[in-house]
Amino acid sequence: MKKRPLGPLMIDIAGTELTDLDRERLCHPLVGGIILFSRNYVDPAQLTALTADIHALRSPALLIAVDHEGGRVQRFREGFTRLPPMAALGRLWDSDAAQGCEAARQVGYVLAAELRARGVDYAFTPVLDLDYGPSRVIGDRAFHRRPEAVIALATALCEGLKQGGMGSCGKHFPGHGYVVPDSHVELPVDDRPFVAMQDDLEPYRQLSLDGVMAAHVIYNCMDCNTAVFSNKWVDYLRKQIKFEGVIFTDDLSMAGAGVVGDMLARVETAYAAGCDMLLVCNAPDAVGEVLTRWKPLVDAQRSQRIERLLPAASAPTWEELQTDSRYRSAHQAVNRLMA
């Protein structure tokens, strides 16, 4: 097992098991994590074997992450509890705030406990974007339009994540809900004045988060670069909001990231702006180029922040989880939400 600090890149793989090239790249000093997608999943047993292979590559182990929010963004479905879209929790909060928060806590716990039992360390959740209505990418991924509802529900969901042995990641900083375009395929521009963004920023001020994912959106009130590439937004998050956790980029292969050039320029600019972990997904040739050509001075403090996201304790096995009364109760509660 290779011992080296975790690097600033989070990359992906093509298949359901590691190839020799995957192993070589995942052991590269610039790599610190891997993000899994639906294409990497066959069934729970396969996922358990894959995550074990990945964790065995290095010490400290690579951070294994996934987008697993619920609703339409849930990468692993067969063999996992189907989770509701966060908007369903928002509607429940409207009718009964306490019940909505308890449901969010149960969803967070089930989400985390099931992933951890299969060897996944971290999920990019909760979505803190406000539901302004017309967004092509956020929609029912958002809890609510009102920041107080988002704060209450996300706080409860994060409590559930923690009970399940997992950290939290608020996204998409400073807020992706107002703009219409989907940053996967376009470059959104938010032209509101800074004063009009205070509702969007309030969840980041109020929540205790382990990670934050920055958005591929230009906010004209602050910078001509997207938040991912903006030292002004990163400084605001660090110095004004006092956030001390890991700052992730959204996927640097998205169209919204093209504002600064090719992939090498994207990783250089995001790292220089202050992002800790840079996601390069669905672009294997670009990953190879970056690993060959990028020669950053890796910041040890950033590596240590990433390591703190690794689970502090081993998780129950899937079999042990099924006999746990806390899990059984939460699982039944989530199933009732989906009924």
Side-chain angles (χ1 to χ4, degrees):
M1 181 182 291
K2 299 180 184 295
K3 292 183 178 292
R4 57 169 56 105
L6 296 181
L9 293 176
M10 176 171 277
I11 64 174
D12 59 352
I13 60 174
T16 57
E17 57 185 24
L18 297 180
T19 66
D20 290 342
L21 178 60
D22 293 334
R23 294 176 188 276
E24 177 184 338
R25 288 183 171 181
L26 291 171
C27 287
H28 193 286
L30 290 179
V31 175
I34 177 172
I35 180 170
L36 299 179
F37 292 92
S38 297
R39 66 172 181 269
N40 305 125
Y41 182 72
V42 175
D43 56 42
Q46 169 270 331
L47 179 62
T48 304
L50 175 61
T51 55
D53 284 349
I54 294 167
H55 280 147
L57 290 173
R58 292 170 57 163
S59 177
L62 291 167
L63 180 71
I64 302 177
V66 66
D67 275 322
H68 204 82
E69 304 165 9
R72 56 195 161 97
V73 182
Q74 181 173 338
R75 304 304 186 204
F76 313 140
R77 295 180 182 269
E78 187 67 30
F80 280 79
T81 302
R82 291 295 297 270
L83 304 173
M86 297 301 97
L89 298 174
R91 290 190 294 271
L92 188 57
W93 186 90
D94 282 335
S95 60
D96 186 326
Q99 187 179 1
C101 289
E102 180 57 25
R105 191 174 294 106
Q106 303 283 36
V107 168
Y109 173 74
V110 169
L111 186 161
E114 291 188 348
L115 288 176
R116 292 278 290 111
R118 296 302 184 184
V120 178
D121 304 310
Y122 194 60
F124 291 119
T125 190
V127 171
L128 300 181
D129 304 312
L130 305 187
D131 182 13
Y132 286 92
S135 171
R136 294 178 189 147
V137 69
I138 303 303
D140 67 358
R141 296 169 65 191
F143 288 107
H144 210 279
R145 168 61 182 86
R146 292 167 58 185
E148 61 267 32
V150 173
I151 291 164
L153 291 166
T155 296
L157 187 119
C158 290
E159 290 170 356
L161 291 174
K162 186 175 181 180
Q163 291 165 1
M166 183 175 286
S168 57
C169 183
K171 62 185 187 184
H172 305 80
F173 178 82
H176 202 316
Y178 181 80
V179 293
V180 175
D182 179 353
S183 55
H184 290 85
V185 295
E186 301 176 75
L187 175 57
V189 178
D190 190 330
D191 58 5
R192 291 177 294 168
F194 183 71
V195 68
M197 294 188 61
Q198 298 314 298
D199 281 357
D200 302 75
L201 290 165
E202 198 60 24
Y204 295 95
R205 296 191 182 105
Q206 298 298 328
L207 269 70
S208 178
L209 298 165
D210 300 292
V212 164
M213 178 177 283
H216 289 310
V217 178
I218 291 175
Y219 304 87
N220 282 334
C221 65
M222 182 72 78
D223 204 342
C224 60
N225 260 334
T226 70
V228 164
F229 302 123
S230 172
N231 65 306
K232 293 179 181 179
W233 274 118
V234 172
D235 284 351
Y236 183 85
L237 183 59
R238 292 288 189 211
K239 295 176 182 177
Q240 301 301 315
I241 296 181
K242 307 298 185 185
F243 175 68
E244 297 180 350
V246 176
I247 301 176
F248 291 88
T249 71
D250 209 340
D251 179 10
L252 292 175
S253 67
M254 290 163 55
V259 64
V260 299
D262 65 11
M263 190 61 74
L264 187 60
R266 298 178 197 191
V267 298
E268 288 176 341
T269 307
Y271 201 61
C275 293
D276 300 308
M277 184 154 257
L278 323 174
L279 276 69
V280 183
C281 313
N282 305 306
D285 292 342
V287 169
E289 180 183 12
V290 169
L291 292 180
T292 300
R293 296 180 55 198
W294 191 34
K295 308 294 181 184
L297 181 62
V298 176
D299 184 338
Q301 184 179 18
R302 299 195 209 186
S303 296
Q304 291 166 5
R305 278 200 288 261
I306 295 167
E307 287 180 24
R308 288 199 289 269
L309 290 179
L310 293 169
S314 59
T317 66
W318 189 264
E319 291 72 21
E320 291 169 339
L321 194 62
Q322 303 310 301
T323 63
D324 183 274
S325 59
R326 167 75 173 89
Y327 169 76
R328 291 203 310 271
S329 175
H331 172 74
Q332 291 167 2
V334 175
N335 281 340
R336 287 194 295 270
L337 285 173
M338 297 298 292

